[in-house]
Amino acid sequence: MDREKVRQLTTMLEAYVTENKIRLIDQVLAKRTRHLTVVLEDIYHAQNASAVMRTCDCFGIQDLYVTQNLHDYNVNPNVVRGASKWTTLHKYEREEDSINKCIADLKKKKYRIVGTTPNPESASIHTLNIEERTAVIFGTEKQGLSDYAKANVDELIHIPMHGFTESFNISVSAALILNELTSRLHNSEIDWRLTQEEKEDLKFEWYQNIVKRSDLLINIFLKEHSEKIDG
């Protein structure tokens, strides 16, 4: 859909959105980012993956990538608490090379790939360089990252720990890492915000998610204004 059509449809839908929600959406878009993104590799506890999606929304991370090999992932509505309406889920079909395809796609998008590990000899999250676009991969709850993921990441990172337990729950790990990285990002000179077109596209998508019968309203608008819009 061309840019002008998106803008006109967004304006039309905005008439059905409350002023408070419009202001909130604008505030959220101002802090949204694709500079950082999260990848979950074949997570088999759906509630954990859904908790990470909720965490991504809370920290302003727009995209969540989920690969499926041995396990299917379905959003748990009781855990995400509506976050699925605001985040963009990239889900790879259940197959052996699911993670391979995901990493290849991220590299095409110019992401630097970083894998998480409990190994204290890897880089600390406090020193990780985030000047480049960065994708953080979390492995399965028991085995961690697959051999393929370990071999194809650009760097491994860990969360410094001071107890006997080897690692945090994956949803806790995601929250700790995203809190650290987004805090540093917001206080940096890095151009981490969405482009104007990305903001417009997301606003249009979000309005469709919250306006009742938005599909019907859009079809009616397009029929009534087709000549004017196309002209």
Side-chain angles (χ1 to χ4, degrees):
M1 188 177 294
D2 65 67
R3 184 59 41 198
E4 183 57 30
K5 191 174 292 186
V6 167
R7 288 170 179 162
Q8 291 190 30
L9 289 170
T10 301
T11 299
M12 180 273 294
L13 290 176
E14 192 168 80
Y16 299 90
V17 183
T18 65
E19 290 186 7
N20 286 339
K21 182 66 78 173
I22 292 170
R23 282 196 297 270
L24 178 58
I25 285 175
D26 287 338
Q27 291 169 5
V28 169
L29 284 173
K31 292 293 183 72
R32 219 62 167 178
T33 189
R34 284 193 162 112
H35 188 86
L36 296 175
T37 195
V38 170
V39 181
L40 300 181
E41 184 186 12
D42 200 30
I43 303 300
Y44 57 83
H45 287 149
Q47 65 269 27
N48 286 342
S50 294
V52 173
M53 175 182 285
R54 182 176 174 181
T55 298
C56 285
D57 176 49
C58 289
F59 284 108
I61 307 299
Q62 183 56 40
D63 297 307
L64 173 64
Y65 293 76
V66 175
T67 71
Q68 301 174 107
N69 180 6
L70 299 176
H71 310 97
D72 294 324
Y73 168 62
N74 293 300
V75 173
N76 185 326
N78 295 321
V79 177
V80 297
R81 304 285 291 183
S84 56
K85 290 195 299 186
W86 314 113
T87 54
T88 303
L89 176 62
H90 306 264
K91 189 162 67 170
Y92 288 76
E93 295 302 322
R94 184 173 173 180
E95 54 188 346
E96 188 173 353
D97 60 350
S98 180
I99 186 62
N100 315 35
K101 291 181 178 179
C102 178
I103 289 177
D105 287 346
L106 288 167
K107 289 188 174 181
K108 287 178 184 176
K109 295 176 181 179
K110 308 300 182 184
Y111 278 100
R112 184 168 180 269
I113 314 296
V114 175
T116 56
T117 176
N119 186 351
E121 295 183 3
S122 62
S124 165
I125 61 170
H126 303 303
T127 59
L128 176 68
N129 188 328
I130 54 172
E131 290 186 6
E132 298 178 57
R133 300 183 91 193
T134 303
V136 183
I137 302 182
F138 296 85
T140 60
E141 291 89 339
K142 289 186 178 180
Q143 284 77 29
L145 296 175
S146 66
D147 291 339
Y148 181 88
K150 290 178 184 176
N152 285 274
V153 297
D154 297 299
E155 187 173 7
L156 290 170
I157 60 170
H158 75 281
I159 302 171
M161 299 181 64
H162 310 288
F164 293 104
T165 307
E166 183 182 59
S167 62
F168 290 101
N169 172 282
I170 187 171
S171 59
V172 174
S173 294
L176 290 171
I177 290 175
L178 291 181
N179 180 59
E180 167 69 19
L181 299 186
T182 56
S183 294
R184 287 170 50 199
L185 200 63
H186 292 175
N187 291 311
S188 73
E189 298 299 321
I190 298 169
D191 184 14
W192 53 268
R193 291 176 173 81
L194 299 175
T195 65
Q196 184 59 34
E197 289 191 355
E198 286 176 319
K199 290 179 182 178
E200 290 175 357
D201 288 340
L202 282 175
K203 181 178 282 191
F204 180 42
E205 178 185 322
W206 292 351
Y207 280 0
Q208 291 178 77
N209 289 341
I210 62 177
V211 174
K212 293 181 180 179
R213 301 303 304 273
S214 60
D215 54 341
L216 179 61
L217 293 171
I218 288 171
N219 287 334
I220 292 173
F221 184 88
L222 290 175
K223 287 179 181 178
E224 292 180 347
H225 298 79
S226 58
E227 292 185 4
K228 183 176 180 181
I229 293 176
D230 295 334

